[in-house]
Amino acid sequence: MSSIRLFLIASILAILTLFNFVAALQGYQASLREAEQLFDNQLYQTAKLIANLHTEQIQTPPSPQNNLAYQVWHNNQLIATSAPSLRQPIIELLPGFDHANFNGYRWRTLVFYDDNHNNWIIVAERSDLRYMLAESVITQAVLPILLGIPLAGLLIWLIVSRGLKPLRDLSEQLKNKQANDLTPIAIPDLKSELKQVNHSINALMRRLGSALDREKRFTADAAHELRTPISALKVQLHNLREEVPQGNEAFAQLEAGVERMQHLVEQLLSLYRSTPEEFSHQMTRLNLYELAQEVIANQHHDFEKCNQLLELEGDNCFVEGDPFALTTLLQNLLSNANKYTPPGGQIRVTTEAVGGHICLKVEDSGPGISPTDYSKVFERFQRLSHIKDVAAVQGCGLGLTIVKHIADLHNARTSIAPSSFDTGTAFIILFPRTPDSHD
């Protein structure tokens, strides 16, 4: 059972019902025994009354509704009976209680010897009527116990719900916490059973906050500290270019290594800026089509160098987002397409409204990605080895990770599909659509 409340209520009700059932059964059986003794005592008093009131040849008119029968015998002769049809002894003349069958019923019998008149008196009472009367009385006593179980269940539900309220309050506070909110949870008048849980959660949040702070400081400090020596290296390489012969392979590799290091630092900075702690929640309404135009204009020379055809299609589509973060997202998608699209290839950027979303699609005519690798491309430092000459492609494996991270910050859904070209891959970002997303 997945609910603590249901488990507690069901367990308590089951135990309560079991005990009530056992108590009712024991009470029923004990009440039957007491009723039997009471009826037997009444039968005995009836026999004594008949003995005291007896006169010779008393006859009682037969009545089908009568539940009592009697006979008076003297010297083996019937001198009185409750019905003329009862001419034979109802039961053997032995003193005491017993049972007998006659007139189609089971009867409780008592044989009583009257010393004063030397008479044998037999008194009989229908057993079924005795049990009906006893059960009627007992049921009235037991029924309130059985009817009280639903009421007890309701009271138990209210009590358990009240008792679990602090747990619901704790759960509600955890559910309403933002991703970047690692402040301690404070619940006034917290029950002692939950204090340790609350303390452990707050301790975990403190450790998590410390770990995130260390990671943030390390990433920011490392990236900033590396920028200075990288800039110095680039200046020295520029100066050395005059002294190194044209086409020197070692010098070219050194330049490529420095460029890759600079790219890695810039990607680390982008990843740091787009963390929840640094991400601005004051999003603005911006035109995704115009933003794509600006990014393409700034990176157009990279595509011209590779003789790649870059197209922008679609309509003016508006989204709520952070301009810097979405610019970084587009830059990384276009940079990825530029790297893996062969010279003379095609790249297309599309912005359009699709159903309840605003769709940003960047597709290329590169080698494409196997569907089995779709789930890997957004992992950090992941570079697919099946792509030819992947080592020659400049990159650090963080670009698409940043894309996915920024999309998540905008509550956008990221997916991959084959492009509309003969080969290649399409990266699709679906942003939530607002009433005025499409003008």
Side-chain angles (χ1 to χ4, degrees):
M1 191 175 292
S2 58
S3 171
I4 296 177
R5 179 193 300 175
L6 291 178
F7 172 76
L8 290 175
I9 293 173
S11 300
I12 295 173
L13 270 181
I15 295 173
L16 182 63
T17 304
L18 177 62
F19 275 100
N20 278 344
F21 175 77
V22 173
L25 182 62
Q26 292 292 333
Y28 178 80
Q29 293 176 342
S31 299
L32 276 182
R33 288 193 295 269
E34 291 181 5
E36 184 75 13
Q37 292 178 359
L38 181 63
F39 287 134
D40 284 349
N41 184 59
Q42 183 181 1
L43 200 62
Y44 177 76
Q45 296 299 328
T46 301
K48 290 180 66 176
L49 179 63
I50 292 173
N52 292 331
L53 298 178
H54 169 67
T55 58
E56 293 294 327
Q57 303 298 326
I58 293 178
Q59 297 289 335
T60 302
S63 174
Q65 305 298 328
N66 197 356
N67 67 329
L68 185 67
Y70 69 87
Q71 290 178 328
V72 180
W73 294 84
H74 181 76
N75 295 329
N76 295 325
Q77 290 185 354
L78 181 65
I79 62 175
T81 180
S82 60
S85 60
L86 296 177
R87 307 309 300 177
Q88 297 297 324
I90 294 174
I91 196 170
E92 189 177 356
L93 297 178
L94 294 175
F97 291 95
D98 205 341
H99 289 88
N101 297 323
F102 63 91
N103 288 349
Y105 293 101
R106 182 78 167 167
W107 298 72
R108 177 69 167 170
T109 63
L110 169 64
V111 178
F112 175 76
Y113 182 71
D114 181 10
D115 294 331
N116 296 328
H117 302 91
N118 296 322
N119 292 334
W120 288 92
I121 300 171
I122 302 175
V123 185
E125 188 177 27
R126 278 175 51 179
S127 296
D128 59 325
L129 296 180
R130 293 181 72 176
Y131 284 125
M132 285 177 59
L133 181 59
E135 286 183 352
S136 175
V137 174
I138 295 169
T139 301
Q140 292 180 9
V142 173
L143 191 60
I145 299 177
L146 300 179
L147 293 179
I149 293 178
L151 179 60
L154 178 60
L155 293 176
I156 291 170
W157 176 278
L158 295 175
I159 292 171
V160 171
S161 298
R162 177 77 175 178
L164 291 178
K165 185 178 182 300
L167 187 60
R168 291 199 305 273
D169 293 341
L170 179 61
S171 174
E172 194 68 22
Q173 285 210 25
L174 287 172
K175 184 176 69 174
N176 293 333
K177 270 189 172 293
Q178 300 296 323
N180 60 340
D181 182 10
L182 297 177
T183 57
I185 296 176
I187 300 179
D189 302 326
L190 190 65
K191 302 300 181 183
S192 58
E193 290 82 0
L194 288 178
K195 285 182 178 178
Q196 183 59 43
V197 176
N198 189 40
H199 176 74
S200 300
I201 292 174
N202 288 336
L204 176 62
M205 287 189 174
R206 286 193 295 270
R207 292 196 299 271
L208 182 59
S210 299
L212 290 176
D213 287 339
R214 287 195 300 271
E215 181 182 356
K216 180 177 67 175
R217 286 194 300 270
F218 171 77
T219 305
D221 295 345
H224 282 294
E225 290 298 325
L226 285 173
R227 269 182 165 175
T228 301
I230 289 174
S231 298
L233 279 174
K234 294 190 74 173
V235 171
Q236 295 299 326
L237 286 174
H238 178 75
N239 295 333
L240 282 174
R241 189 177 290 113
E242 303 295 331
E243 303 176 13
V244 176
Q246 292 287 336
N248 186 290
E249 184 178 351
F251 186 80
Q253 290 180 353
L254 181 59
E255 279 190 316
V258 172
E259 290 292 335
R260 178 169 179 171
M261 185 181 296
Q262 184 181 32
H263 178 70
L264 175 60
V265 170
E266 294 301 326
Q267 293 289 62
L268 285 172
L269 280 175
S270 296
L271 188 61
Y272 158 67
R273 291 192 187 108
S274 61
T275 56
E277 293 80 2
E278 297 298 323
F279 185 73
S280 173
H281 291 280
Q282 301 299 322
M283 295 186 182
T284 60
R285 183 172 180 266
L286 54 89
N287 190 331
L288 198 58
Y289 183 86
E290 292 181 355
L291 184 65
Q293 281 182 320
E294 294 176 9
V295 175
I296 289 173
N298 292 333
Q299 294 185 239
H300 194 68
H301 63 281
D302 294 331
F303 300 96
E304 285 184 341
K305 286 193 301 185
C306 298
N307 194 28
Q308 295 167 339
L309 177 61
L310 178 59
E311 302 173 301
L312 174 61
E313 296 180 353
D315 308 308
N316 291 322
C317 297
F318 293 85
V319 297
E320 293 291 326
D322 179 77
F324 172 78
L326 292 182
T327 298
T328 303
L329 180 144
L330 276 164
Q331 287 173 344
N332 280 292
L333 286 176
L334 288 173
S335 176
N336 185 76
N338 173 245
K339 291 173 187 176
Y340 293 103
T341 301
Q346 294 177 273
I347 299 169
R348 181 183 298 129
V349 180
T350 307
T351 61
E352 59 182 342
V354 178
H357 299 88
I358 296 299
C359 176
L360 170 66
K361 183 190 296 184
V362 178
E363 50 188 336
D364 58 60
S365 61
I369 301 174
S370 171
T372 58
D373 292 329
Y374 284 172
S375 60
K376 301 178 182 178
V377 297
F378 294 112
E379 296 177 5
R380 290 187 178 192
F381 309 110
Q382 182 66 242
R383 305 189 73 191
L384 302 181
S385 58
H386 76 277
I387 298 177
K388 185 178 180 181
D389 298 329
V390 67
V393 178
Q394 184 180 7
C396 60
L398 280 175
L400 293 178
T401 302
I402 294 172
V403 168
K404 179 70 166 59
H405 190 55
I406 293 174
D408 290 342
L409 290 172
H410 287 79
N411 296 319
R413 192 166 69 243
T414 309
S415 61
I416 306 174
S419 72
S420 59
F421 303 116
D422 293 338
T423 61
T425 303
F427 289 89
I428 303 168
I429 313 294
L430 294 176
F431 294 90
R433 186 174 182 177
T434 58
D436 56 353
S437 295
H438 190 232
D439 291 351

